[in-house]
Each structure stands twice: as structure tokens, then as C-alpha cells.
Amino acid sequence: EHWVDYVELLVGTMQRFMNTDAILLQSGEAADEADKTYLVSQSMNGALSLTAGCFMCGSVLLTMANRFSGEELTEVDEMAVDCLEEFCNVLNGLYIVNMSGKNMDMDLDMPKTEEDALPTGADVLSLQVETEFGAWTLYMSDHGFIV
């Protein structure tokens, strides 16, 4: 149930902060992972543990960073990555606030970004997220990722 809550919040957050709709597909229904490069992830711990990660190519990361920040970034650099990590902070911060309303206190770890790293581990859910500016993969796990 907490994964469903997270996905619903993600869709609303994409609409609110990036002015785009997001359509989620089961893993394997969209483009393969060959063109994906960046994994931005963050773990939440406490009453329950959840790690969520966004796996995407550079052009999608740049577009998301531009839309979230309102800046006109032209290349995937430290600033663009910071913008996407801040988006994760906002999304996951909203999620833990929602969970605290259900008497489930949680804390956020620092977001991290890896290049050319595919998350693996026990019970990793993979969903394809389709947007008007490109597709990316959402990974979720109760046990964290191994990258």
C-alpha cells in the first residue's frame, strides 16, 4: 500500500512542479535501459523503509531540472544534478509528511546520484514513467539498492 501512495504522490508532484502528466507502465513495456545513464535515488527510513530512484538519460534529467528549477540549464552538470536531487528531496519530504499523518515517522537520507549504475537487490520494483519530454524508470525497494 505504501508503494501505491508513493506512486500517486509522484504523479501529482510531476504535475505540480514540472507541469507534465506522467503515465506509468509496468516494467518492460517501454524503451530498454540501454540509453539510461543517471540514477538519482534517496532512502527513507523509520516506521518503514523505502528507497526510490529515478533512472534516466541526460536529456530527460536536463529537462526535469529545467522545469523544476525554472532555470535555463544547457548541460547535465553539477547544477542540473543538484536540481533533480532537490526534486527528490521535495517529493520524498512530502511523502514522509503524508506518512507521519498515518503515525509512521520516517527520516530522509541524503539523495545521491550515480552514473551508469543499474539498481539491483531484493524486491526492486521497476515502473516506466512516460512524460511529454521522454521516458525514465522509477525504481522502488523496501531494502535499498545495490549499485
Side-chain angles (χ1 to χ4, degrees):
E1 178 182 328
H2 62 279
W3 287 12
V4 172
D5 293 340
Y6 188 86
V7 170
E8 288 175 352
L9 181 63
L10 169 69
V11 170
T13 303
M14 293 287 294
Q15 290 171 334
R16 179 177 175 191
F17 291 103
M18 295 193 186
N19 196 31
T20 190
D21 290 325
I23 299 169
L24 281 80
L25 307 170
Q26 289 183 350
S27 180
E29 292 183 18
D32 66 51
E33 307 297 353
D35 63 340
K36 305 294 193 311
T37 304
Y38 299 95
L39 173 65
V40 181
S41 64
Q42 188 170 31
S43 294
M44 298 159 268
N45 298 292
L48 65 92
S49 294
L50 177 65
T51 299
C54 307
F55 190 51
M56 63 194 61
C57 65
S59 64
V60 171
L61 185 147
L62 189 58
T63 301
M64 289 177 72
N66 282 327
R67 286 179 178 228
F68 181 70
S69 69
E71 300 290 324
E72 196 159 327
L73 306 170
T74 58
E75 63 182 295
V76 177
D77 57 11
E78 188 175 316
M79 176 65 103
V81 169
D82 285 347
C83 288
L84 204 56
E85 287 179 350
E86 186 57 28
F87 172 73
C88 289
N89 269 326
V90 169
L91 169 62
N92 296 332
L94 290 169
Y95 181 73
I96 66 171
V97 166
N98 290 349
M99 291 295 102
S100 71
K102 297 179 180 184
N103 294 320
M104 300 180 81
D105 291 330
M106 299 170 67
D107 294 311
L108 285 176
D109 290 345
M110 294 294 294
K112 59 184 179 179
T113 301
E114 304 279 341
E115 285 190 56
D116 300 320
L118 186 64
T120 61
D123 301 321
V124 176
L125 173 69
S126 169
L127 296 172
Q128 299 300 318
V129 181
E130 296 283 336
T131 68
E132 64 190 59
F133 50 81
W136 53 277
T137 305
L138 171 67
Y139 286 101
M140 297 170 47
S141 175
D142 289 333
H143 306 291
F145 299 148
I146 300 169
V147 291

